[in-house]
Amino acid sequence: MMLSMTGIPGLLFLLLLLLCVVGQASPYEALWKPTWPAYRLPVVLPQSTLNLAKPDFRAKAKLEVSSSCGPQCHKGTPLPTYEEAKQYLSYETLYANGSRTETHVGIYILSDGRRGAQHQDSKLSRTSRRKRQIYGYDSRFSIFGKDFLLNYPFSTSVKLSTGCTGTLVAEKHVLTAAHCIHDGKTYVKGTQKLRVGFLKSKLKDAGRETNTSISATPEKMKFQWIRVKRTHVPKGWIKGNANDIGMDYDYALLELKKPHKRKFMKIGVSPPAKQLPGGRIHFSGYDNDRPGNLVYRFCDVKDETYDLLYQQCDAQPGASGSGVYVRMWKRQQQKWERKIIGIFSGHQWVDMNGSPQDFNVAVRITPLKYAQICYWIKGNYLDCREG
């Protein structure tokens, strides 16, 4: 049995938000193993679906977004009301034939008290700036050789036909940034025939004796493309102009027309930065300044808000949409596991004690976002109990 939170006053809603933290397992039960925390997860379920007019697909593809609202700006904004949270988590679905629907959702907790909802939104300014995404020495690594590119975790990174990066998160699903397919007002050109590219070797495996990973001449790769069946974008991104609410909702899920038959990386709720191994995150993407190359990087998280991670991982346009992941100990299965905890979005100028600093930003997968994305993938909230 589930309980609706309709009509919950602001203070009680705030208390419910804290339930996701209260009672979670300590991530350091084994001091030498950073452990995935256990969260109490809310339930996000569709309530009604409306048919919308077909979009015009006239927006220009944006390979990056920017905003000047930094951590203090985010931390100073009030929590949304329950109705606002429902509005932001409602979503649009675009189908391959160009038809479009809008789905309104409800947010629930289980009546036995094992789950709670947690959420926070931010209002971002529209100040533009000159873009810079490399910090000092370029610390990115281009990944060469099919022994690496075609194996986990690098094999989970895919390229969108609109120019961004995505990550395989299920047998037929790709997680990416919303701005890669929607500019906040309408869908970008090419979204109706959106494709996802998988790197593969140009030549058939002529012989296993050759060690391509250490060859002086990297083996040439090509993309094999699969059409997208439908896309989901949260209304928090679509509402008005994208930056009215901001990067907090810059995520989208793509469903492929057929299974990709590769190992994928599961999504997970983003732990606090201090609980991440070494305080560090990782992601791989198809940066535009290195065409045809998959580029890997890792760096420390510099700051965080409830919805965003601020870091200075070197990145260029094209890398946006990459899945940000960490590797932590899974206590229940007694094994190490990588999970996607965020989506690389863009960059921001941040005023740090009167001195402007440039940060790259990743959208965190919060408990509510996890519940939403997991439902998009599974279609059953009972399969989304563990984050």
Side-chain angles (χ1 to χ4, degrees):
M1 181 180 178
M2 294 183 295
L3 300 178
S4 170
M5 293 192 288
T6 305
I8 291 178
L11 180 58
L12 181 55
F13 188 62
L14 173 60
L15 293 175
L16 285 169
L17 302 189
L18 298 177
L19 284 176
C20 284
V21 179
V22 176
Q24 71 182 43
S26 170
Y28 292 110
E29 287 186 358
L31 294 178
W32 57 280
K33 289 180 180 178
T35 303
W36 286 106
Y39 289 91
R40 295 172 177 173
L41 296 174
V43 174
V44 177
L45 286 179
Q47 298 299 295
S48 62
T49 300
L50 307 172
N51 291 319
L52 302 177
K54 288 187 176 182
D56 53 22
F57 302 102
R58 290 190 297 182
K60 184 178 179 180
K62 287 186 176 182
L63 301 186
E64 55 185 358
V65 294
S66 61
S67 174
S68 60
C69 183
Q72 296 309 313
C73 172
H74 277 73
K75 294 172 184 177
T77 57
L79 288 168
T81 64
Y82 171 67
E83 292 300 323
E84 287 173 335
K86 287 201 307 178
Q87 182 182 15
Y88 299 156
L89 288 170
S90 296
Y91 56 92
E92 278 194 12
T93 302
L94 176 69
Y95 297 87
N97 64 4
S99 62
R100 181 173 55 130
T101 60
E102 178 177 305
T103 301
H104 297 270
V105 303
I107 302 172
Y108 304 89
I109 56 174
L110 293 184
S111 59
D112 63 4
R114 286 179 296 173
R115 298 186 190 179
Q118 185 176 19
H119 186 68
Q120 179 179 355
D121 83 308
S122 304
K123 296 181 180 179
L124 305 178
S125 69
R126 304 178 187 177
T127 305
S128 62
R129 65 171 183 81
R130 187 176 178 181
K131 301 174 179 63
R132 178 177 65 84
Q133 291 180 286
I134 301 297
Y135 303 90
Y137 177 76
D138 191 343
S139 60
R140 296 172 298 164
F141 301 87
S142 291
I143 306 301
F144 295 112
K146 69 177 184 180
D147 289 351
F148 293 110
L149 288 168
L150 302 184
N151 284 305
Y152 189 87
F154 302 117
S155 59
T156 64
S157 295
V158 293
K159 186 176 179 65
L160 274 59
S161 56
T162 53
C164 288
T165 299
T167 306
L168 304 177
V169 292
E171 291 86 354
K172 295 174 63 176
H173 293 89
V174 175
L175 187 64
T176 189
H179 74 259
C180 295
I181 61 174
H182 197 289
D183 72 349
K185 295 180 179 179
T186 189
Y187 290 89
V188 305
K189 184 178 181 181
T191 303
Q192 186 175 355
K193 297 182 178 180
L194 186 63
R195 300 179 300 158
V196 171
F198 299 76
L199 269 182
K200 62 176 294 185
S201 175
K202 277 191 175 182
L203 300 175
K204 291 185 178 179
D205 198 2
R208 297 184 180 275
E209 296 84 4
T210 303
N211 188 343
T212 56
S213 64
I214 60 174
S215 172
T217 304
E219 183 175 3
K220 292 187 176 181
M221 309 291 287
K222 68 176 182 179
F223 286 103
Q224 181 179 23
W225 299 89
I226 297 180
R227 286 284 300 274
V228 171
K229 178 181 179 180
R230 60 180 175 178
T231 67
H232 298 300
V233 178
K235 294 294 285 185
W237 176 258
I238 296 173
K239 183 179 179 292
N241 181 282
N243 277 344
D244 282 350
I245 300 177
M247 295 179 177
D248 300 6
Y249 299 90
D250 189 10
Y251 59 93
L253 189 76
L254 319 179
E255 181 180 346
L256 304 176
K257 285 194 170 182
K258 63 180 182 180
H260 52 73
K261 299 180 180 179
R262 289 192 179 189
K263 185 176 180 180
F264 56 85
M265 195 178 301
K266 295 179 181 179
I267 62 171
V269 175
S270 174
K274 64 181 180 181
Q275 294 181 9
L276 302 178
R280 187 175 295 149
I281 57 172
H282 310 250
F283 64 94
S284 301
Y286 293 97
D287 300 55
N288 282 3
D289 65 334
R290 299 189 186 183
N293 289 352
L294 179 65
V295 183
Y296 163 75
R297 73 227 79 195
F298 64 90
C299 67
D300 297 339
V301 174
K302 301 296 184 182
D303 204 345
E304 64 181 326
T305 64
Y306 181 76
D307 284 287
L308 301 175
L309 292 173
Y310 293 83
Q311 34 78 19
Q312 291 183 327
C313 284
D314 291 325
Q316 287 290 304
S320 54
S322 301
V324 173
Y325 65 88
V326 295
R327 180 176 177 265
M328 299 175 69
W329 182 251
K330 191 72 174 177
R331 187 182 53 180
Q332 295 89 335
Q333 285 77 33
Q334 290 292 295
K335 67 176 184 179
W336 293 98
E337 185 174 21
R338 292 179 179 88
K339 288 185 182 181
I340 300 294
I341 62 166
I343 305 95
F344 177 58
S345 177
H347 47 267
Q348 295 182 342
W349 279 108
V350 176
D351 186 359
M352 302 292 287
N353 299 319
S355 176
Q357 291 191 29
D358 194 14
F359 286 94
N360 281 330
V361 181
V363 177
R364 299 177 67 179
I365 297 179
T366 63
L368 271 178
K369 292 172 189 173
Y370 175 91
Q372 180 188 55
I373 296 169
C374 183
Y375 185 86
W376 287 343
I377 296 172
K378 304 286 189 179
N380 186 348
Y381 78 90
L382 293 175
D383 295 327
C384 300
R385 294 181 176 184
E386 181 184 342

